[in-house]
Amino acid sequence: MPKPLHQQTASELAMQLLQLEVKAEQIVLSCLERITEREPHVQAWSHLAADAAIDRARELDRGAVQGLLHGLPVGVKDLFDTFDMPTTYGSPIYEKNQPAADASVVALCREQGAVIMGKTVTTEFATFNPGKTRNPCGLTHTPGGSSSGSAAAVADCMVPLAFASQTAASVIRPAAFCGIVGYKPSFGRINRAGVKPLSESLDTLGFLGRSVDDVALFAAAITSERDLFPFESPAELDDVPRIAMCQTHEWSHADADTQAAMQEAEKKLTQNGKSLSHLVLPELFAKLLQAQTEIMGFDLVRSLAHEWCNHADLISPALTAVLEAGMEISPERHRANLALAHQARMMVADAFGDADVILAPSTIGAAPDTLEQTGNPVFCRVWTLLGLPCVHIPFFKAQNGMPVGLQVVGRYGEDKQVLRAAKWLAFQLMPG
Amino acid sequence: MPKPLHQQTASELAMQLLQLEVKAEQIVLSCLERITEREPHVQAWSHLAADAAIDRARELDRGAVQGLLHGLPVGVKDLFDTFDMPTTYGSPIYEKNQPAADASVVALCREQGAVIMGKTVTTEFATFNPGKTRNPCGLTHTPGGSSSGSAAAVADCMVPLAFASQTAASVIRPAAFCGIVGYKPSFGRINRAGVKPLSESLDTLGFLGRSVDDVALFAAAITSERDLFPFESPAELDDVPRIAMCQTHEWSHADADTQAAMQEAEKKLTQNGKSLSHLVLPELFAKLLQAQTEIMGFDLVRSLAHEWCNHADLISPALTAVLEAGMEISPERHRANLALAHQARMMVADAFGDADVILAPSTIGAAPDTLEQTGNPVFCRVWTLLGLPCVHIPFFKAQNGMPVGLQVVGRYGEDKQVLRAAKWLAFQLMPG
């Protein structure tokens, strides 16, 4: 018996849609049924557009295939503007905000035939103050942030695909905590128009799905880079990627579960006497964690100037603290931080050595058993600042049964290689 | 007899406001009177907020000094969001658009005590389709674009300061055509949140005024970089800037007036036997003009995806042609263009040689005698792509009496040096 439609991946559904074996309407209805059942527990959505989604699916079913995402339900993080749905940016300041236009990627997504199911919960301005969403793998646990609703909705099979964005850790961390695949592209690869800006030098839009194929399909559709997808099946891959394990300068933060995930990966990848290299990043890179934090704070003060000047009373204490810290960073210090980041970016391709990709921790461990915070971003901040493409692969369980995984990191601009390597690694590491 | 208030520069007014010799209300009323008289001819404004400006000025007069822009009237390009005024982006698609928030720089401007006088006309999405504005120096001539209304309003003494933005030539060209000072900062120096994005790798916010002091004051207020202003008086400057004349690879486009302006500058700067160097940019830089054009086209297609997909009928034929050309640029070609730009950016500081700044053409000549187009951007595209700070100084008259000038270009991040050099050069070159 085949899996229910809502449990299938986007790539599986896309194939059936192309071959007219299934209708968009059936997929949308299956997802909506799942949402009805689970949303009271998970609370992934800030706005659900059920009727519009059904209408759109029927319209698509009547026409020719529009694009790579034809008939596929997509969740949109509520940091992204939508012309036909409210957009709150996770803040009470924007409780009734109705943008005039779609964010660029949302418009492109519709053009490729996707069905926008609604807006998914983001933390307050995609920073650290949690929304209402719970982790579908364990409802008392945080789903991670800031793309909390997108990750929970995909993990809980409410939609196969959802948009995310990362300024510190907001694509990779929620993917890790919810046990799905997250892809943060190289910096600058995805147009950000119409997505609430937090930090121009860090903000990166990304993609969530339940397989590497799915995030690659999603990215290929949005970027028109059709060679991102499909790739060969992993078994056929001639070029086994050269992988280096990298604990990073933040390794002391890794808990027992993340340490065990790294060991498990090493064990599986060195089976049959295969060798695996280990990489130590240059000493300079140890300074990047603080630099990223300061750059983000400095930029947030400016990006949220309107909100701070006019609605300070509606900004959470947590974000207020971030803004107040940001105000302490002088323009001179900010420029020094940017110069340090530039220096590291110039060095990092060489630092990879012989490796095609790095395998590194995504999070310090599994999702904390709390809804009061969204977890530690420490293992993502540096890669965000470096602008490197990252793919999270879920393959391991923590002691308490919650998902853990690792991220595959590539050289700048080598998004295709990183997606390929992630697919190969998922095949090697995932059980079954 | 002192000059009427609306004719005085922002720096002159700021001093009198600080010393309580003049009230904000008097300044605003003087500017409004000028606007009433001249707006029927110049048409610089898409929205004028006369009553709100008077109320705001009175409120400021009752309180303590808020910041560097206390009591100074400012015009805001209608590409920048304002929470209390409509924002059309120069397009009929957004005829009735009312944003929820101020652009970051507008909020910061208000925080510094400025009085926002209204929204100034921009070309359609700050590209090439002109708005209604005429050049105050000659009403049948284009004011240049895209910051047409901002440049015309400042040149015509309707406001002392106005915001601009440049993706190709939109700060420097209108400043040149209207005979005022324009400052395009180093790329990334000014937060762009809330300004309609066209090209993430090119868009740069900038400042217009009637003196170098004024644009420096304006920038210092917005960036919190207080050392940008004030500087010493030019006569006291110990360090005479080392200047290199640079014709650039686009020199064949320069008409007789621009050629004469370059000769005039050279003559004045070599008086009394002083020497002046001449700089030839590396051969690679000849490719940047086309690269900039293609990058802009590629990005525009994505940034305006919503408008293209939903309102193609309301996009002008001129912009449609730009978008259609942009669609022909493949992602691979786009990445190659960005890589070329990166390579040139890495080389350019060395290419300056011994010079502190370059003196180069701003435009091919004076403002064309037409309102059907906004003039040729060819002398600005490359500096925009390189992300270098540029200041236009007006000092010369074309054969037909219209203003012409040159731009001072500095190394990346050396905004302070470029402003200082521009002040020194303005002192040397300006008549009287």
Side-chain angles (χ1 to χ4, degrees), chain A residues 183 185-186 189 228 349 352 355-357 387-391 409-421, chain B residues 335:
Chain A
Y183 163 39
S186 292
R189 194 96 165 207
L228 288 178
F352 271 59
D356 296 317
V357 295
L388 303 184
C390 301
V391 177
V409 183
R411 287 186 181 81
Y412 182 78
E414 298 194 350
D415 292 59
K416 184 174 174 170
Q417 292 85 329
V418 139
L419 286 163
R420 267 170 174 278
Chain B
R335 281 204 298 282

Side-chain angles (χ1 to χ4, degrees), chain A residues 83 94 97 100-102 104 107-108 189 191-193 197 200 223-225 299 302-303 305-306 309 331 335 342 346, chain B residues 83 94 97 100-102 104 107-108 111 189 191-193 197 200 223-225 299 302-303 305-306 331 335 342 346:
Chain A
F83 84 93
Y94 292 93
N97 180 48
D102 273 350
S104 166
L108 293 169
R189 194 96 165 207
N191 191 296
R192 300 179 292 186
E200 291 193 18
T223 59
S224 328
E225 299 183 45
D299 283 348
R302 283 146 188 87
S303 297
H306 170 81
C309 293
R335 282 205 296 281
H342 179 75
M346 294 296 102
Chain B
F83 83 93
Y94 292 94
N97 180 46
D102 273 348
S104 167
L108 293 169
E111 196 198 17
R189 194 94 165 210
N191 190 296
R192 299 179 292 188
E200 291 193 20
T223 58
S224 326
E225 299 183 43
D299 282 349
R302 283 144 188 88
S303 296
H306 170 81
R335 281 204 298 282
H342 179 75
M346 294 295 103

Side-chain angles (χ1 to χ4, degrees), chain A residues 123-398:
Chain A
T123 61
E124 183 188 22
F125 296 119
T127 57
F128 307 106
N129 194 44
K132 63 181 179 178
T133 309
R134 294 151 176 269
N135 193 319
C137 308
L139 293 172
T140 58
H141 296 251
T142 176
S146 62
S147 311
S148 318
S150 281
V154 169
D156 209 36
C157 298
M158 295 171 166
V159 279
L161 300 173
F163 281 113
S165 63
Q166 177 156 322
T167 306
S170 293
V171 171
I172 299 299
R173 179 180 46 181
F177 285 175
C178 294
I180 59 173
V181 175
Y183 163 39
K184 179 193 84 65
S186 292
F187 180 79
R189 194 96 165 207
I190 314 288
N191 191 296
R192 300 179 292 186
V195 178
K196 180 81 175 162
L198 308 172
S199 168
E200 291 193 18
S201 32
L202 299 170
D203 295 345
T204 312
L205 307 193
F207 307 97
L208 299 173
R210 290 191 297 273
S211 74
V212 178
D213 275 351
D214 279 15
V215 295
L217 168 71
F218 198 1
I222 298 299
T223 59
S224 328
E225 299 183 45
R226 294 300 154 91
D227 65 338
L228 288 178
F229 176 86
F231 13 64
E232 310 82 338
S233 90
E236 293 166 24
L237 279 176
D238 289 338
D239 297 332
V240 174
R242 285 167 300 181
I243 295 156
M245 306 286 295
C246 180
Q247 296 184 333
T248 78
H249 289 295
E250 290 72 42
W251 181 244
S252 64
H253 295 273
D255 73 8
D257 291 320
T258 286
Q259 290 177 27
M262 286 286 273
Q263 284 156 12
E264 173 76 7
E266 175 141 11
K267 199 178 105 190
K268 286 200 175 161
L269 295 173
T270 51
Q271 274 170 352
N272 312 325
K274 284 182 206 149
S275 72
L276 190 63
S277 65
H278 293 80
L279 189 141
V280 177
L281 292 169
E283 195 51 38
L284 178 89
F285 285 52
K287 297 180 186 166
L288 296 178
L289 181 64
Q290 189 181 348
Q292 192 278 346
T293 308
E294 292 184 1
I295 289 169
M296 186 169 164
F298 180 94
D299 283 348
L300 272 171
V301 169
R302 283 146 188 87
S303 297
L304 298 179
H306 170 81
E307 291 80 2
W308 179 255
C309 293
N310 297 282
H311 307 286
D313 54 319
L314 294 175
I315 296 177
S316 72
L319 179 52
T320 299
V322 171
L323 292 172
E324 283 173 349
M327 286 172 211
E328 297 299 312
I329 312 295
S330 69
E332 295 70 34
R333 185 163 180 92
H334 181 63
R335 282 205 296 281
N337 281 327
L338 290 177
L340 179 73
H342 179 75
Q343 193 185 349
R345 284 179 195 143
M346 294 296 102
M347 293 165 65
V348 71
D350 285 345
F352 271 59
D354 284 340
D356 296 317
V357 295
I358 283 172
L359 197 56
S362 292
T363 53
I364 65 171
D369 191 0
T370 173
L371 298 170
E372 299 301 312
Q373 44 118 321
T374 57
N376 192 322
V378 78
F379 278 112
C380 293
R381 284 187 185 270
V382 172
W383 303 127
T384 310
L385 181 57
L386 290 169
L388 303 184
C390 301
V391 177
H392 173 81
I393 17 178
F395 72 94
F396 196 68
K397 293 272 179 247

